Amino acid sequence: MRVDIITVLPELLESPFSHSMMKRAKDRGLLEIYTHNLRDHTPYKQGQVDDYQFGGGAGMVMMPEPLAILLDKLKEDRAYDEVIYMTPDGPLFTQKTANTLSLRENIIIICGHYKGIDDRIRQHYVTMEISIGDYVLSGGELAAAVVVDSVGRLLPGVLNDETSALFDSFQDGLLAPPVYTRPADFRGWKIPDILLCGDPKKIDDWRYEQSVKRTKERRPGLMD
Ligand code: ADE
């Protein structure tokens, strides 16, 4: 999978993709991530990429031209399955969206800043919008990192059996069950006996029950 990220702060995106699973995905050639500094593509002086909004009001808006120039350039070189705009007013990101995106080959992610991007880019280029939650970040970069991380780990070959995504929270519409490791007795706090019974079927049933219980208690909306 290839991900092209358009940003005014490429430095913000260096660390999230240089460790752990994302590093492994890149090292194995399963995930390619290219960050593009929008300022390198603006026709305006001094790397200008934003301007005052028409109609007045506080806050700058990202100009359409630098974005269009860069988007056209990228699209000339290959076909993209989605042009995604990270924005708090988009549909909420879920595991289902991550699963869907993990099947795509090439995607572009636009990180907004200031008041956001000129709406004509949303109308004419953007095919999908994503919000990672009902709160406002100072830019789309951290949100883009969240999306790429959750999608990247689903790519075949990134996770091994031990870290398989099949048992993640949300993957089957339920939260994950509680997990325990050694010691079995820590300060007198004991793990559930069933986990030591040695019967995989019984343990699986218990885990499923715990998942249902947790989901009902914590996120009843997921059960609908
Ligand atoms: N940009 C700013 N806030 C955001 C959010 N919550 N989700 C996605 N992109 C954003």
Side-chain angles (χ1 to χ4, degrees):
M1 178 180 203
R2 175 183 170 121
V3 185
D4 288 89
I5 306 180
I6 301 178
T7 169
V8 289
L9 284 174
E11 301 83 8
L12 254 186
L13 290 164
E14 275 163 25
S15 177
F17 305 132
S18 306
H19 307 279
S20 180
M21 299 282 183
M22 293 306 101
K23 181 173 188 305
R24 190 196 298 177
K26 288 198 303 182
D27 290 349
R28 290 184 180 173
L30 304 166
L31 179 63
E32 289 171 81
I33 300 171
Y34 298 89
T35 50
H36 305 272
N37 190 337
L38 189 60
R39 293 189 198 284
D40 296 339
H41 301 271
T42 181
Y44 301 102
K45 275 186 283 186
Q46 289 162 347
Q48 185 188 0
V49 291
D50 59 333
D51 210 335
Y52 296 102
Q53 51 177 316
F54 280 121
M60 307 292 269
V61 175
M62 288 170 75
M63 303 159 103
E65 206 170 350
L67 283 166
I69 288 171
L70 178 50
L71 286 163
D72 288 344
K73 195 160 166 269
L74 289 169
K75 289 168 89 168
E76 236 171 63
D77 292 340
R78 70 197 58 78
Y80 285 91
D81 304 300
E82 300 285 0
V83 177
I84 300 168
Y85 174 46
M86 303 308 305
T87 174
D89 58 16
L92 279 182
F93 188 58
T94 61
Q95 190 63 39
K96 194 165 167 239
T97 325
N99 290 341
T100 307
L101 284 177
S102 72
L103 303 172
R104 304 286 181 255
E105 230 163 89
N106 301 318
I107 62 172
I108 293 174
I109 302 182
I110 304 172
C111 303
H113 262 265
Y114 323 111
K115 277 276 163 198
I117 64 174
D118 187 290
D119 213 74
R120 288 165 290 185
I121 294 294
R122 294 172 81 159
Q123 291 162 27
H124 297 286
Y125 283 93
V126 170
T127 60
M128 181 179 195
E129 299 187 332
I130 294 179
S131 163
I132 61 157
D134 289 338
Y135 42 81
V136 180
L137 302 165
S138 47
E141 284 76 12
L142 297 180
V146 166
V147 168
V148 174
D149 186 293
S150 65
V151 171
R153 62 192 289 286
L154 296 174
L155 299 175
V158 175
L159 300 182
N160 48 36
D161 278 355
E162 272 165 42
T163 50
S164 166
L166 283 178
F167 303 106
D168 284 346
S169 276
F170 307 113
Q171 207 53 269
D172 52 6
L174 294 173
L175 300 183
V179 291
Y180 300 89
T181 185
R182 285 189 297 171
D185 183 340
F186 172 63
R187 297 184 177 171
W189 304 328
K190 298 197 176 72
I191 68 167
D193 289 338
I194 189 136
L195 294 175
L196 299 171
C197 78
D199 180 338
K201 166 87 175 62
K202 275 194 186 150
I203 293 175
D204 276 354
D205 288 349
W206 177 83
R207 285 184 172 148
Y208 180 72
E209 277 163 29
Q210 291 293 312
S211 279
V212 172
K213 182 165 172 274
R214 276 206 163 176
T215 312
K216 276 187 186 154
E217 282 167 8
R218 298 173 185 205
R219 298 289 301 277
L222 289 177
M223 304 288 292
D224 299 340

